Amino acid sequence: MTSFKQKLSAAQRIEVKRQMDIYRQGVQDIIPPEDLEEKIAKSLIEERPLKIKLGLDPSAPDVHLGHTVVLNKMRQFQDNGHVIQLLIGDFTGKIGDPTGKSVARKQLTDEEVKTNAQTYFEQFGKVLDMEKVELHYNSKWLSKLNFEEVIHLAGQITVARLLERDDFDERIAMSKPISLHEFFYPLMQGYDSVVLESDIELGGTDQHFNILMGRHFQERFEKEKQVAILMPLIEGLDGVEKMSKSKNNYIGIDESPNEMFGKAMSIPDELMIKYFELVTDLSPEAVEKVKTELESGKMHPRDAKMLLGKTIVRMYHSEEAGEKAEQHFVTVFREGAAPEEIPEQQWEGEQQTGILDLLTALDLLPSKSEARKMIQNNGVKMDGKRVTDPQLTVEIKDGMVVQVGKRKFVRVALKH
Amino acid sequence: MTSFKQKLSAAQRIEVKRQMDIYRQGVQDIIPPEDLEEKIAKSLIEERPLKIKLGLDPSAPDVHLGHTVVLNKMRQFQDNGHVIQLLIGDFTGKIGDPTGKSVARKQLTDEEVKTNAQTYFEQFGKVLDMEKVELHYNSKWLSKLNFEEVIHLAGQITVARLLERDDFDERIAMSKPISLHEFFYPLMQGYDSVVLESDIELGGTDQHFNILMGRHFQERFEKEKQVAILMPLIEGLDGVEKMSKSKNNYIGIDESPNEMFGKAMSIPDELMIKYFELVTDLSPEAVEKVKTELESGKMHPRDAKMLLGKTIVRMYHSEEAGEKAEQHFVTVFREGAAPEEIPEQQWEGEQQTGILDLLTALDLLPSKSEARKMIQNNGVKMDGKRVTDPQLTVEIKDGMVVQVGKRKFVRVALKH
């Protein structure tokens, strides 16, 4: 095999190194790095961009900072002229759960898939240049495979190899059933890369196995093998679990400036630098400076966290919004007062209302049981006074302020 | 569930028992027997025949006595008015080996599948009434499944259940690779029973797992579950391995009377009764009588074996052919003389021919290396004289008799 690296001019060699340095920032793993170098070299010599694939689950389109770890990396490729392939895994979404056991894995309609893809598209626009993004739906090719082709695909992989995947391995060890169709999800992901002829696939470290399937199947189908770039998973606000919607420990990129800022302030101190590195656009040098000043005590952790919050708000809203969110936070939480701008809600219900009904009607809590729990945890205040009795009947007054947790306020307005 | 057995008249109850007694003869296992009774009861009350499925591999259509163990059982069902479903697994045959590793598992063309099915049909006619047999090809439904339907099918079974199959289990234990597509063969066999709505599936004990797949999938697809009837596997002429073409230890049902008879005589004594029970049409009482007389010494094992040989020849040729084959055997082997009727072959080759070329040209041995081995084992005679030198050059003479092993003779005829 001739190596493209050997054909590079001196200037091109510098360019390859420049790109490699950028792509290496913050990654957990590049498998294998020498293939990535070779692909960059090839793209320079052949003057064609690389194809960078990202697979997306069409059923959960709420984008949070956890996703942006990967999106920021994709943006770097895009800035260097490479092409992003967003792959909506709609074929899987349309199947639902064939065992009929999981209610969660319900079948999506074509309409839902399109709507969810649109949601992704709008949110990703905050990080990527969406005009230069290719959008693909894998149902386009997967739904056309017949049984013979599926068997041919299945013939390219061994059962032992599939059982190496951590979660399968664990379930076998614990005698938890694995339905045979589950073996097909990594196969599909791998076959998508064959069809898309992807050069690189990006994902979190939890996608290690599935992304390597792409390399495997491309090789079996005599295509050039993609490089796996695995990004670290970022812990959520709890500092323990991976950030995810289901754990409710996330900062959504569509959230309001005050919500974002407040959530950023609740991150455990020890995660701050990781957040700076993975979810902000600060340069490695700027992050290094924060790190040094924190260690030397020159910077107070609270101030570092305020910088983090302001930066995140700036990225997804504006410079000004960042300043305002900081000001809001200082007013409410540092000075213990109610914020200047409390959203107002018109009250059209009964004058006498149970506290649980009130909290849910004002959308401050999603259910009565959640509202009861919040009261029991001392998290509900009315006009600054703590509510302790979940059975309380409230006499609604105009201008009354209801507060849930540290950051949610509503001013009740009565019809006149 | 209402039981059909409870609705039976006294006469019908006797009929169920009569059929059960017949079907139980010589079987290894009925899973479960109570379902078989219930199905017979149902067929009497609803006046509809049961559907008895037998799956056939389209790649190896040579039928031998090993197959007849199952065919004889099917004949009993046919005699009681039930319907035979012969299922040619042509879908599998058309796929070949998707890993490309096995030369043996080559793809069959439509033409080959049809020819092989025809071969089965002709041979089965010696046991079954082929006018009352349904012939099915599973490519009819399997080739139409799309990926979504395949995934739905795969969703009905767990990986653990598939790994229970003995050969998979062993291969995992020995770290021998199992290609994922292999998991689909039991699935297909199971799904065939769903489509055919089979009441009973017959097979050798080596089909235990696959036939139970039929029950499993019928249940998952909300069909009435089939009963598995497993017949013992019969050892071949070597007395050790299962009778099969690849082991060359079989008696083909298309073989000549003399070949059949001779092979029957070579069976180890201890297998004789099993052969009487499983591959002859003698009644259980007649077999019992042979058994008792053998044990008491009233009958010589050689005579019992001659009865076996004669019976097999009668079944697949005629009463007369059985008598003649016996006579032939006595003449050749007991009296040490050449048989009366030696097949003649016209010789059109060189007058001076190497012995190895001669043996292969006369089709007495398949290759020169086999011919050399046979000479080294003292298995080749010319005009009654043993040949010891594989390099021997033979002067071909008209009427010369060439003999290989105990039973193969050719008389060479020269052109005049």
Side-chain angles (χ1 to χ4, degrees):
Chain A
M1 205 181 82
T2 29
S3 158
F4 286 95
K5 266 169 72 186
Q6 288 161 3
K7 296 186 201 160
L8 294 171
S9 67
Q12 286 173 325
R13 221 170 296 140
I14 290 167
E15 171 60 12
V16 169
K17 187 179 177 311
R18 188 190 67 80
Q19 288 196 33
M20 280 298 289
D21 284 346
I22 294 173
Y23 303 147
R24 274 205 190 97
Q25 283 163 24
V27 303
Q28 185 79 34
D29 216 348
I30 298 178
I31 306 172
E34 59 274 17
D35 281 15
L36 180 57
E37 268 192 280
E38 182 66 15
K39 278 180 183 276
I40 298 169
K42 189 176 172 186
S43 84
L44 292 176
I45 285 171
E46 296 189 345
E47 295 183 343
R48 64 162 194 96
L50 297 176
K51 298 178 202 158
I52 324 292
K53 174 189 169 200
L54 176 66
L56 299 169
D57 173 358
S59 66
D62 288 281
V63 180
H64 52 65
L65 287 188
H67 298 108
T68 68
V69 178
V70 167
L71 294 179
N72 292 335
K73 184 54 65 183
M74 303 211 90
R75 176 74 207 201
Q76 294 176 336
F77 280 98
Q78 209 174 35
D79 287 344
N80 288 307
H82 302 299
V83 172
I84 305 300
Q85 302 176 313
L86 290 187
L87 189 272
I88 309 276
D90 67 328
F91 182 69
T92 325
K94 282 183 195 164
I95 291 169
D97 178 11
T99 67
K101 280 182 190 156
S102 158
V103 189
R105 274 285 312 286
K106 72 166 175 54
Q107 265 175 279
L108 299 176
T109 63
D110 281 354
E111 204 49 53
E112 289 169 311
V113 167
K114 295 273 180 242
T115 309
N116 291 351
Q118 189 55 38
T119 312
Y120 271 127
F121 229 66
E122 284 160 13
Q123 296 176 86
F124 281 11
K126 297 188 173 179
V127 181
L128 299 174
D129 178 353
M130 297 309 281
E131 303 217 333
K132 292 181 186 155
V133 159
E134 290 178 4
L135 188 62
H136 301 278
Y137 294 88
N138 66 2
S139 63
K140 189 176 164 192
W141 49 88
L142 293 181
S143 65
K144 286 188 193 121
L145 291 182
N146 63 29
F147 200 1
E148 183 170 345
E149 291 162 326
V150 172
I151 285 177
H152 186 250
L153 192 60
Q156 310 308 316
I157 187 93
T158 65
V159 171
R161 176 80 190 266
L162 288 162
L163 286 174
E164 278 168 17
R165 205 173 84 169
D166 288 348
D167 57 332
F168 289 151
D169 192 41
E170 268 168 35
R171 278 156 72 191
I172 285 278
M174 299 178 70
S175 301
K176 284 189 188 165
I178 302 167
S179 215
L180 178 58
H181 76 280
E182 298 181 65
F183 272 9
F184 278 96
Y185 299 140
L187 261 72
M188 290 182 210
Q189 191 165 340
Y191 187 66
D192 290 344
S193 292
V194 173
V195 174
L196 292 175
E197 301 187 330
S198 309
D199 289 300
I200 292 164
E201 182 164 355
L202 270 167
T205 49
D206 54 349
Q207 288 296 306
H208 187 133
F209 183 92
N210 291 342
I211 293 180
L212 288 186
M213 282 289 113
R215 269 179 82 75
H216 176 81
F217 279 96
Q218 283 173 326
E219 184 170 30
R220 300 302 294 250
F221 283 84
E222 293 172 2
K223 303 269 184 185
E224 191 179 308
K225 287 183 283 181
Q226 69 183 17
V227 172
I229 297 189
L230 304 174
M231 299 304 296
L233 297 176
I234 196 156
E235 293 84 352
L237 306 179
D238 52 12
V240 180
E241 304 256 26
K242 171 189 166 188
M243 185 180 284
S244 77
K245 204 188 169 200
S246 61
K247 299 283 178 204
N248 196 26
N249 62 356
Y250 67 100
I251 303 181
I253 69 171
D254 250 0
E255 292 190 84
S256 73
N258 289 346
E259 198 70 20
M260 269 186 176
F261 195 98
K263 284 186 173 181
M265 293 309 289
S266 74
I267 293 166
D269 286 359
E270 59 275 19
L271 274 181
M272 250 194 298
I273 294 299
K274 191 168 181 186
Y275 269 63
F276 270 116
E277 282 173 348
L278 294 175
V279 306
T280 74
D281 55 4
L282 295 197
S283 69
E285 295 74 27
V287 175
E288 192 53 40
K289 186 162 170 270
V290 173
K291 200 175 162 186
T292 317
E293 294 191 355
L294 270 172
E295 281 166 0
S296 70
K298 196 173 161 192
M299 187 185 248
H300 190 281
R302 186 197 54 231
D303 295 329
K305 226 182 273 181
M306 304 245 304
L307 174 62
L308 177 65
K310 207 158 62 172
T311 307
I312 293 172
V313 175
R314 170 177 59 68
M315 288 170 68
Y316 296 100
H317 294 279
S318 66
E319 187 88 42
E320 193 200 341
E323 300 290 349
K324 281 181 78 175
E326 184 181 37
Q327 193 48 50
H328 171 94
F329 181 82
V330 170
T331 312
V332 179
F333 302 104
R334 303 256 309 264
E335 298 167 9
E340 292 157 45
E341 295 167 33
I342 292 179
E344 203 171 81
Q345 270 199 51
Q346 197 70 31
W347 181 253
E348 299 183 349
E350 300 287 320
Q351 188 93 27
Q352 306 261 345
T353 304
I355 180 72
L356 301 182
D357 288 323
L358 178 66
L359 291 167
T360 52
L362 292 173
D363 273 338
L364 285 164
L365 285 160
S367 67
K368 286 197 196 180
S369 62
E370 294 281 321
R372 180 177 295 108
K373 220 181 288 168
M374 190 55 93
I375 293 172
Q376 282 159 354
N377 292 332
N378 296 325
V380 176
K381 286 183 186 170
M382 281 176 40
D383 286 333
K385 275 178 66 183
R386 178 159 298 146
V387 176
T388 51
D389 177 10
Q391 308 299 333
L392 180 72
T393 300
V394 181
E395 172 82 24
I396 309 289
K397 290 179 204 125
D398 192 44
M400 179 170 124
V401 173
V402 186
Q403 177 180 359
V404 166
K406 284 188 187 160
R407 291 185 301 277
K408 282 192 194 164
F409 297 85
V410 163
R411 192 185 304 276
V412 179
L414 277 185
K415 275 191 282 191
H416 294 288
Chain B
M1 204 182 80
T2 27
S3 158
F4 286 94
K5 266 169 72 186
Q6 288 161 2
K7 297 186 200 160
L8 293 171
S9 67
Q12 286 172 324
R13 222 170 296 141
I14 290 167
E15 171 60 11
V16 169
K17 190 181 175 310
R18 188 190 67 81
Q19 288 195 31
M20 281 298 288
D21 285 345
I22 293 173
Y23 303 146
R24 275 204 189 99
Q25 284 163 24
V27 304
Q28 184 79 35
D29 216 348
I30 298 178
I31 307 171
E34 59 275 19
D35 281 14
L36 180 57
E37 267 192 281
E38 180 67 12
K39 276 179 184 275
I40 299 169
K42 189 175 171 187
S43 85
L44 291 176
I45 285 172
E46 297 189 345
E47 294 183 345
R48 66 163 192 94
L50 297 175
K51 297 177 204 159
I52 325 292
K53 175 189 168 200
L54 176 66
L56 298 169
D57 173 357
S59 65
D62 288 281
V63 180
H64 53 65
L65 287 187
H67 299 108
T68 67
V69 178
V70 167
L71 293 179
N72 292 335
K73 183 56 63 184
M74 302 212 91
R75 177 74 209 201
Q76 294 175 336
F77 280 97
Q78 208 174 37
D79 288 344
N80 287 307
H82 302 299
V83 172
I84 305 300
Q85 302 176 312
L86 290 186
L87 189 272
I88 310 275
D90 67 327
F91 182 69
T92 326
K94 283 181 195 166
I95 290 168
D97 179 10
T99 67
K101 280 183 190 156
S102 158
V103 189
R105 274 284 313 285
K106 73 167 175 54
Q107 262 174 281
L108 298 178
T109 62
D110 281 355
E111 205 47 51
E112 289 169 311
V113 167
K114 295 273 177 241
T115 310
N116 291 349
Q118 189 54 37
T119 312
Y120 272 126
F121 228 67
E122 284 160 11
Q123 296 176 83
F124 281 12
K126 296 187 173 179
V127 180
L128 299 174
D129 178 353
M130 297 310 281
E131 302 215 335
K132 292 181 187 156
V133 160
E134 290 178 5
L135 188 61
H136 301 278
Y137 294 89
N138 66 1
S139 64
K140 189 176 164 192
W141 49 88
L142 293 180
S143 65
K144 284 187 197 123
L145 292 182
N146 63 28
F147 200 2
E148 182 169 345
E149 291 162 326
V150 172
I151 285 176
H152 185 251
L153 192 59
Q156 311 309 316
I157 187 93
T158 66
V159 171
R161 175 81 190 267
L162 288 163
L163 286 174
E164 279 168 16
R165 203 173 84 169
D166 288 348
D167 57 332
F168 289 151
D169 192 40
E170 268 169 36
R171 278 157 71 191
I172 284 278
M174 299 179 70
S175 300
K176 282 189 190 168
I178 302 167
S179 217
L180 177 57
H181 76 279
E182 298 181 64
F183 272 10
F184 278 94
Y185 298 141
L187 261 72
M188 291 181 210
Q189 191 165 339
Y191 187 66
D192 290 343
S193 292
V194 173
V195 173
L196 293 176
E197 301 188 330
S198 309
D199 289 300
I200 292 164
E201 182 165 352
L202 270 167
T205 49
D206 53 350
Q207 289 295 307
H208 187 133
F209 183 92
N210 291 342
I211 293 180
L212 289 186
M213 281 290 112
R215 271 178 80 77
H216 175 81
F217 280 95
Q218 284 174 327
E219 184 170 30
R220 299 303 291 252
F221 283 83
E222 292 171 4
K223 304 271 184 182
E224 192 180 308
K225 287 184 283 180
Q226 69 184 16
V227 172
I229 298 190
L230 304 175
M231 300 303 295
L233 297 177
I234 196 156
E235 291 85 353
L237 305 179
D238 53 11
V240 180
E241 304 258 25
K242 170 190 167 190
M243 185 180 286
S244 78
K245 206 190 166 199
S246 61
K247 299 283 179 205
N248 198 26
N249 62 356
Y250 66 99
I251 302 180
I253 70 172
D254 248 0
E255 291 191 86
S256 72
N258 289 345
E259 199 70 18
M260 272 186 172
F261 195 97
K263 284 185 172 181
M265 293 307 290
S266 75
I267 294 166
D269 286 359
E270 60 275 18
L271 275 180
M272 251 195 299
I273 294 299
K274 191 167 181 188
Y275 269 62
F276 270 116
E277 281 172 351
L278 295 175
V279 304
T280 74
D281 55 5
L282 296 196
S283 69
E285 295 74 28
V287 176
E288 194 52 41
K289 184 160 170 274
V290 172
K291 200 174 162 186
T292 316
E293 295 192 355
L294 270 173
E295 282 165 358
S296 69
K298 194 172 161 194
M299 187 185 248
H300 190 280
R302 187 196 53 229
D303 294 328
K305 225 182 274 180
M306 304 245 303
L307 174 62
L308 177 65
K310 207 160 63 174
T311 308
I312 293 170
V313 175
R314 169 178 59 66
M315 286 170 69
Y316 295 100
H317 294 278
S318 66
E319 187 87 41
E320 193 199 343
E323 300 289 351
K324 280 181 82 176
E326 183 179 40
Q327 193 49 49
H328 170 93
F329 181 83
V330 170
T331 312
V332 179
F333 302 104
R334 303 259 305 265
E335 298 167 11
E340 294 156 47
E341 294 166 35
I342 293 179
E344 202 168 82
Q345 270 198 51
Q346 198 70 30
W347 180 253
E348 298 182 353
E350 300 286 319
Q351 187 92 26
Q352 307 263 344
T353 303
I355 180 72
L356 302 181
D357 289 321
L358 179 66
L359 291 168
T360 52
L362 293 173
D363 274 338
L364 286 166
L365 285 160
S367 68
K368 285 197 197 181
S369 61
E370 295 280 321
R372 180 177 296 108
K373 220 181 288 170
M374 189 56 92
I375 292 172
Q376 283 160 353
N377 291 333
N378 297 324
V380 176
K381 286 184 187 171
M382 284 177 35
D383 287 334
K385 275 178 67 184
R386 177 160 298 143
V387 178
T388 51
D389 176 11
Q391 308 298 333
L392 180 71
T393 299
V394 181
E395 173 84 26
I396 309 289
K397 289 177 207 131
D398 191 46
M400 180 170 123
V401 173
V402 187
Q403 177 181 359
V404 167
K406 286 187 188 160
R407 291 185 302 278
K408 282 190 192 165
F409 297 85
V410 163
R411 192 184 305 277
V412 179
L414 279 185
K415 275 192 283 192
H416 295 289

